[in-house]
Amino acid sequence: MKARYRYRFYPTNQQRQSLAQLFGCVRVVWKDALALCKNSEKLPNYNQLSALLTGSKKTEERVWLNKGPDYSKGDRKIRKLQRQESATTKRFKAAQ
């Protein structure tokens, strides 16, 4: 028989603020990357997505991305997309 556990997280006010900032940064970076993928004919690679993130952090509208937690600046999402892209490419090459 498998045991099941249920956990609940009660963050402090400072933790709530940090989490809201983190999720806000991640959401904006994800939406930017998704918009780039939808608008281009060919899926962008890691370098193109990284350049997009770097460029958007330098604009006045998105300067607040520099103040977010280090791990929320999009690198993890971009690396995940890169791994998915390479895995898909390998799979299709193997099938041919």
Side-chain angles (χ1 to χ4, degrees), residues 36-48:
L36 179 68
C37 291
K38 284 185 176 182
N39 293 334
S40 61
E41 293 178 18
K42 182 180 163 188
L43 285 178
N45 60 19
Y46 171 78
N47 293 331
Q48 292 167 330

Side-chain angles (χ1 to χ4, degrees), residues 25-45 48-50 52-53 56 62 74 77-78 80-82 84:
C25 290
V26 169
R27 182 175 55 246
V28 167
V29 169
W30 176 257
K31 286 185 177 183
D32 285 349
L34 189 61
L36 179 68
C37 291
K38 284 185 176 182
N39 293 334
S40 61
E41 293 178 18
K42 182 180 163 188
L43 285 178
N45 60 19
Q48 292 167 330
L49 289 173
S50 182
L52 170 75
L53 176 61
S56 68
R62 302 278 171 88
K77 286 285 182 192
I78 292 172
K80 182 178 179 180
L81 287 171
Q82 182 185 26
Q84 289 174 346

Side-chain angles (χ1 to χ4, degrees), residues 2-87:
K2 294 183 179 182
R4 188 172 100 178
Y5 299 97
R6 196 171 190 177
Y7 296 97
R8 179 92 176 148
F9 176 61
Y10 297 100
T12 64
N13 288 336
Q14 184 176 0
Q15 289 172 333
R16 281 186 187 146
Q17 183 179 5
S18 295
L19 288 170
Q21 187 179 18
L22 167 70
F23 295 144
C25 290
V26 169
R27 182 175 55 246
V28 167
V29 169
W30 176 257
K31 286 185 177 183
D32 285 349
L34 189 61
L36 179 68
C37 291
K38 284 185 176 182
N39 293 334
S40 61
E41 293 178 18
K42 182 180 163 188
L43 285 178
N45 60 19
Y46 171 78
N47 293 331
Q48 292 167 330
L49 289 173
S50 182
L52 170 75
L53 176 61
T54 303
S56 68
K57 288 193 299 187
K58 292 180 180 178
T59 62
E60 287 187 32
E61 303 151 344
R62 302 278 171 88
V63 72
W64 56 270
L65 283 173
N66 292 320
K67 297 176 185 172
D70 288 338
Y71 49 86
S72 72
K73 293 186 180 168
D75 285 340
R76 288 186 178 186
K77 286 285 182 192
I78 292 172
R79 290 187 197 283
K80 182 178 179 180
L81 287 171
Q82 182 185 26
R83 286 193 304 270
Q84 289 174 346
E85 176 190 5
S86 64

